[in-house]
mmCIF file with all atom_site columns, all heavy atoms in Angstrom:
data_model
loop_
_atom_site.group_PDB
_atom_site.id
_atom_site.type_symbol
_atom_site.label_atom_id
_atom_site.label_alt_id
_atom_site.label_comp_id
_atom_site.label_asym_id
_atom_site.label_entity_id
_atom_site.label_seq_id
_atom_site.pdbx_PDB_ins_code
_atom_site.Cartn_x
_atom_site.Cartn_y
_atom_site.Cartn_z
_atom_site.occupancy
_atom_site.B_iso_or_equiv
_atom_site.pdbx_formal_charge
_atom_site.auth_seq_id
_atom_site.auth_comp_id
_atom_site.auth_asym_id
_atom_site.auth_atom_id
_atom_site.pdbx_PDB_model_num
ATOM 1   N N   . PRO A 1 95  ? -5.826  -16.739 13.302 1.00 0.00 ? 95  PRO A N   1
ATOM 2   C CA  . PRO A 1 95  ? -7.301  -17.078 13.066 1.00 0.00 ? 95  PRO A CA  1
ATOM 3   C C   . PRO A 1 95  ? -7.679  -16.960 11.493 1.00 0.00 ? 95  PRO A C   1
ATOM 4   O O   . PRO A 1 95  ? -8.552  -17.587 11.149 1.00 0.00 ? 95  PRO A O   1
ATOM 5   C CB  . PRO A 1 95  ? -8.055  -16.065 13.880 1.00 0.00 ? 95  PRO A CB  1
ATOM 6   C CG  . PRO A 1 95  ? -7.069  -15.654 15.008 1.00 0.00 ? 95  PRO A CG  1
ATOM 7   C CD  . PRO A 1 95  ? -5.705  -15.668 14.312 1.00 0.00 ? 95  PRO A CD  1
ATOM 8   N N   . THR A 1 96  ? -6.977  -16.034 10.891 1.00 0.00 ? 96  THR A N   1
ATOM 9   C CA  . THR A 1 96  ? -7.379  -15.793 9.525  1.00 0.00 ? 96  THR A CA  1
ATOM 10  C C   . THR A 1 96  ? -6.913  -16.931 8.509  1.00 0.00 ? 96  THR A C   1
ATOM 11  O O   . THR A 1 96  ? -7.211  -16.832 7.316  1.00 0.00 ? 96  THR A O   1
ATOM 12  C CB  . THR A 1 96  ? -6.762  -14.445 8.908  1.00 0.00 ? 96  THR A CB  1
ATOM 13  O OG1 . THR A 1 96  ? -5.444  -14.337 9.322  1.00 0.00 ? 96  THR A OG1 1
ATOM 14  C CG2 . THR A 1 96  ? -7.579  -13.323 9.454  1.00 0.00 ? 96  THR A CG2 1
ATOM 15  N N   . THR A 1 97  ? -6.245  -17.923 9.036  1.00 0.00 ? 97  THR A N   1
ATOM 16  C CA  . THR A 1 97  ? -6.004  -19.157 8.257  1.00 0.00 ? 97  THR A CA  1
ATOM 17  C C   . THR A 1 97  ? -7.222  -20.120 8.256  1.00 0.00 ? 97  THR A C   1
ATOM 18  O O   . THR A 1 97  ? -7.162  -21.169 7.637  1.00 0.00 ? 97  THR A O   1
ATOM 19  C CB  . THR A 1 97  ? -4.802  -19.899 8.766  1.00 0.00 ? 97  THR A CB  1
ATOM 20  O OG1 . THR A 1 97  ? -4.825  -20.147 10.086 1.00 0.00 ? 97  THR A OG1 1
ATOM 21  C CG2 . THR A 1 97  ? -3.507  -19.061 8.509  1.00 0.00 ? 97  THR A CG2 1
ATOM 22  N N   . GLN A 1 98  ? -8.224  -19.712 9.084  1.00 0.00 ? 98  GLN A N   1
ATOM 23  C CA  . GLN A 1 98  ? -9.420  -20.566 9.082  1.00 0.00 ? 98  GLN A CA  1
ATOM 24  C C   . GLN A 1 98  ? -10.479 -20.094 8.080  1.00 0.00 ? 98  GLN A C   1
ATOM 25  O O   . GLN A 1 98  ? -10.880 -18.894 8.142  1.00 0.00 ? 98  GLN A O   1
ATOM 26  C CB  . GLN A 1 98  ? -10.061 -20.504 10.494 1.00 0.00 ? 98  GLN A CB  1
ATOM 27  C CG  . GLN A 1 98  ? -9.020  -20.916 11.638 1.00 0.00 ? 98  GLN A CG  1
ATOM 28  C CD  . GLN A 1 98  ? -8.591  -22.402 11.508 1.00 0.00 ? 98  GLN A CD  1
ATOM 29  O OE1 . GLN A 1 98  ? -9.480  -23.328 11.356 1.00 0.00 ? 98  GLN A OE1 1
ATOM 30  N NE2 . GLN A 1 98  ? -7.426  -22.566 11.636 1.00 0.00 ? 98  GLN A NE2 1
ATOM 31  N N   . LEU A 1 99  ? -10.836 -20.924 7.231  1.00 0.00 ? 99  LEU A N   1
ATOM 32  C CA  . LEU A 1 99  ? -11.834 -20.503 6.144  1.00 0.00 ? 99  LEU A CA  1
ATOM 33  C C   . LEU A 1 99  ? -13.140 -20.145 6.809  1.00 0.00 ? 99  LEU A C   1
ATOM 34  O O   . LEU A 1 99  ? -13.823 -19.177 6.278  1.00 0.00 ? 99  LEU A O   1
ATOM 35  C CB  . LEU A 1 99  ? -12.028 -21.656 5.149  1.00 0.00 ? 99  LEU A CB  1
ATOM 36  C CG  . LEU A 1 99  ? -12.956 -21.347 3.911  1.00 0.00 ? 99  LEU A CG  1
ATOM 37  C CD1 . LEU A 1 99  ? -12.486 -20.187 3.126  1.00 0.00 ? 99  LEU A CD1 1
ATOM 38  C CD2 . LEU A 1 99  ? -13.080 -22.559 3.083  1.00 0.00 ? 99  LEU A CD2 1
ATOM 39  N N   . SER A 1 100 ? -13.552 -20.794 7.881  1.00 0.00 ? 100 SER A N   1
ATOM 40  C CA  . SER A 1 100 ? -14.846 -20.515 8.481  1.00 0.00 ? 100 SER A CA  1
ATOM 41  C C   . SER A 1 100 ? -14.907 -19.054 8.986  1.00 0.00 ? 100 SER A C   1
ATOM 42  O O   . SER A 1 100 ? -15.887 -18.378 8.869  1.00 0.00 ? 100 SER A O   1
ATOM 43  C CB  . SER A 1 100 ? -15.098 -21.471 9.622  1.00 0.00 ? 100 SER A CB  1
ATOM 44  O OG  . SER A 1 100 ? -14.073 -21.451 10.589 1.00 0.00 ? 100 SER A OG  1
ATOM 45  N N   . MET A 1 101 ? -13.725 -18.625 9.579  1.00 0.00 ? 101 MET A N   1
ATOM 46  C CA  . MET A 1 101 ? -13.719 -17.322 10.094 1.00 0.00 ? 101 MET A CA  1
ATOM 47  C C   . MET A 1 101 ? -13.712 -16.224 8.956  1.00 0.00 ? 101 MET A C   1
ATOM 48  O O   . MET A 1 101 ? -14.492 -15.160 9.013  1.00 0.00 ? 101 MET A O   1
ATOM 49  C CB  . MET A 1 101 ? -12.497 -17.053 10.943 1.00 0.00 ? 101 MET A CB  1
ATOM 50  C CG  . MET A 1 101 ? -12.387 -15.531 11.398 1.00 0.00 ? 101 MET A CG  1
ATOM 51  S SD  . MET A 1 101 ? -10.802 -15.226 12.219 1.00 0.00 ? 101 MET A SD  1
ATOM 52  C CE  . MET A 1 101 ? -10.868 -13.462 12.130 1.00 0.00 ? 101 MET A CE  1
ATOM 53  N N   . ASN A 1 102 ? -12.982 -16.453 7.883  1.00 0.00 ? 102 ASN A N   1
ATOM 54  C CA  . ASN A 1 102 ? -12.951 -15.497 6.811  1.00 0.00 ? 102 ASN A CA  1
ATOM 55  C C   . ASN A 1 102 ? -14.321 -15.460 6.093  1.00 0.00 ? 102 ASN A C   1
ATOM 56  O O   . ASN A 1 102 ? -14.666 -14.410 5.658  1.00 0.00 ? 102 ASN A O   1
ATOM 57  C CB  . ASN A 1 102 ? -11.835 -15.973 5.810  1.00 0.00 ? 102 ASN A CB  1
ATOM 58  C CG  . ASN A 1 102 ? -10.462 -15.915 6.436  1.00 0.00 ? 102 ASN A CG  1
ATOM 59  O OD1 . ASN A 1 102 ? -10.209 -15.118 7.282  1.00 0.00 ? 102 ASN A OD1 1
ATOM 60  N ND2 . ASN A 1 102 ? -9.539  -16.646 5.884  1.00 0.00 ? 102 ASN A ND2 1
ATOM 61  N N   . LEU A 1 103 ? -14.948 -16.603 5.928  1.00 0.00 ? 103 LEU A N   1
ATOM 62  C CA  . LEU A 1 103 ? -16.317 -16.511 5.357  1.00 0.00 ? 103 LEU A CA  1
ATOM 63  C C   . LEU A 1 103 ? -17.332 -15.815 6.284  1.00 0.00 ? 103 LEU A C   1
ATOM 64  O O   . LEU A 1 103 ? -18.227 -15.156 5.772  1.00 0.00 ? 103 LEU A O   1
ATOM 65  C CB  . LEU A 1 103 ? -16.781 -17.973 5.056  1.00 0.00 ? 103 LEU A CB  1
ATOM 66  C CG  . LEU A 1 103 ? -16.091 -18.653 3.893  1.00 0.00 ? 103 LEU A CG  1
ATOM 67  C CD1 . LEU A 1 103 ? -16.662 -20.132 3.703  1.00 0.00 ? 103 LEU A CD1 1
ATOM 68  C CD2 . LEU A 1 103 ? -16.228 -17.928 2.608  1.00 0.00 ? 103 LEU A CD2 1
ATOM 69  N N   . ALA A 1 104 ? -17.076 -15.964 7.603  1.00 0.00 ? 104 ALA A N   1
ATOM 70  C CA  . ALA A 1 104 ? -17.934 -15.318 8.509  1.00 0.00 ? 104 ALA A CA  1
ATOM 71  C C   . ALA A 1 104 ? -17.741 -13.818 8.451  1.00 0.00 ? 104 ALA A C   1
ATOM 72  O O   . ALA A 1 104 ? -18.720 -13.062 8.873  1.00 0.00 ? 104 ALA A O   1
ATOM 73  C CB  . ALA A 1 104 ? -17.725 -15.783 9.934  1.00 0.00 ? 104 ALA A CB  1
ATOM 74  N N   . LEU A 1 105 ? -16.636 -13.348 8.035  1.00 0.00 ? 105 LEU A N   1
ATOM 75  C CA  . LEU A 1 105 ? -16.408 -11.880 7.837  1.00 0.00 ? 105 LEU A CA  1
ATOM 76  C C   . LEU A 1 105 ? -16.868 -11.385 6.398  1.00 0.00 ? 105 LEU A C   1
ATOM 77  O O   . LEU A 1 105 ? -17.368 -10.343 6.364  1.00 0.00 ? 105 LEU A O   1
ATOM 78  C CB  . LEU A 1 105 ? -14.889 -11.578 8.004  1.00 0.00 ? 105 LEU A CB  1
ATOM 79  C CG  . LEU A 1 105 ? -14.261 -11.674 9.414  1.00 0.00 ? 105 LEU A CG  1
ATOM 80  C CD1 . LEU A 1 105 ? -12.752 -11.431 9.304  1.00 0.00 ? 105 LEU A CD1 1
ATOM 81  C CD2 . LEU A 1 105 ? -14.941 -10.703 10.344 1.00 0.00 ? 105 LEU A CD2 1
ATOM 82  N N   . ALA A 1 106 ? -16.610 -12.247 5.507  1.00 0.00 ? 106 ALA A N   1
ATOM 83  C CA  . ALA A 1 106 ? -16.929 -11.811 4.067  1.00 0.00 ? 106 ALA A CA  1
ATOM 84  C C   . ALA A 1 106 ? -18.418 -11.858 3.758  1.00 0.00 ? 106 ALA A C   1
ATOM 85  O O   . ALA A 1 106 ? -18.933 -10.929 3.148  1.00 0.00 ? 106 ALA A O   1
ATOM 86  C CB  . ALA A 1 106 ? -16.208 -12.727 3.106  1.00 0.00 ? 106 ALA A CB  1
ATOM 87  N N   . PHE A 1 107 ? -19.021 -12.927 4.154  1.00 0.00 ? 107 PHE A N   1
ATOM 88  C CA  . PHE A 1 107 ? -20.443 -13.130 3.727  1.00 0.00 ? 107 PHE A CA  1
ATOM 89  C C   . PHE A 1 107 ? -21.409 -12.074 4.318  1.00 0.00 ? 107 PHE A C   1
ATOM 90  O O   . PHE A 1 107 ? -22.173 -11.433 3.450  1.00 0.00 ? 107 PHE A O   1
ATOM 91  C CB  . PHE A 1 107 ? -20.987 -14.504 4.155  1.00 0.00 ? 107 PHE A CB  1
ATOM 92  C CG  . PHE A 1 107 ? -22.381 -14.868 3.607  1.00 0.00 ? 107 PHE A CG  1
ATOM 93  C CD1 . PHE A 1 107 ? -22.576 -15.128 2.281  1.00 0.00 ? 107 PHE A CD1 1
ATOM 94  C CD2 . PHE A 1 107 ? -23.470 -14.722 4.473  1.00 0.00 ? 107 PHE A CD2 1
ATOM 95  C CE1 . PHE A 1 107 ? -23.883 -15.408 1.808  1.00 0.00 ? 107 PHE A CE1 1
ATOM 96  C CE2 . PHE A 1 107 ? -24.755 -14.941 4.085  1.00 0.00 ? 107 PHE A CE2 1
ATOM 97  C CZ  . PHE A 1 107 ? -24.958 -15.291 2.757  1.00 0.00 ? 107 PHE A CZ  1
ATOM 98  N N   . PRO A 1 108 ? -21.352 -11.713 5.588  1.00 0.00 ? 108 PRO A N   1
ATOM 99  C CA  . PRO A 1 108 ? -22.354 -10.611 6.022  1.00 0.00 ? 108 PRO A CA  1
ATOM 100 C C   . PRO A 1 108 ? -22.065 -9.306  5.382  1.00 0.00 ? 108 PRO A C   1
ATOM 101 O O   . PRO A 1 108 ? -22.970 -8.560  5.041  1.00 0.00 ? 108 PRO A O   1
ATOM 102 C CB  . PRO A 1 108 ? -22.159 -10.641 7.518  1.00 0.00 ? 108 PRO A CB  1
ATOM 103 C CG  . PRO A 1 108 ? -21.471 -11.941 7.867  1.00 0.00 ? 108 PRO A CG  1
ATOM 104 C CD  . PRO A 1 108 ? -20.671 -12.274 6.667  1.00 0.00 ? 108 PRO A CD  1
ATOM 105 N N   . LEU A 1 109 ? -20.756 -8.908  5.168  1.00 0.00 ? 109 LEU A N   1
ATOM 106 C CA  . LEU A 1 109 ? -20.490 -7.601  4.671  1.00 0.00 ? 109 LEU A CA  1
ATOM 107 C C   . LEU A 1 109 ? -20.785 -7.577  3.206  1.00 0.00 ? 109 LEU A C   1
ATOM 108 O O   . LEU A 1 109 ? -21.361 -6.594  2.668  1.00 0.00 ? 109 LEU A O   1
ATOM 109 C CB  . LEU A 1 109 ? -18.988 -7.277  4.849  1.00 0.00 ? 109 LEU A CB  1
ATOM 110 C CG  . LEU A 1 109 ? -18.576 -7.086  6.300  1.00 0.00 ? 109 LEU A CG  1
ATOM 111 C CD1 . LEU A 1 109 ? -17.054 -7.066  6.452  1.00 0.00 ? 109 LEU A CD1 1
ATOM 112 C CD2 . LEU A 1 109 ? -19.193 -5.813  6.888  1.00 0.00 ? 109 LEU A CD2 1
#
Side-chain angles (χ1 to χ4, degrees):
T96 44
T97 56
Q98 305 295 313
L99 182 59
S100 57
M101 175 188 164
N102 295 333
L103 289 179
L105 291 174
F107 184 78
L109 293 172

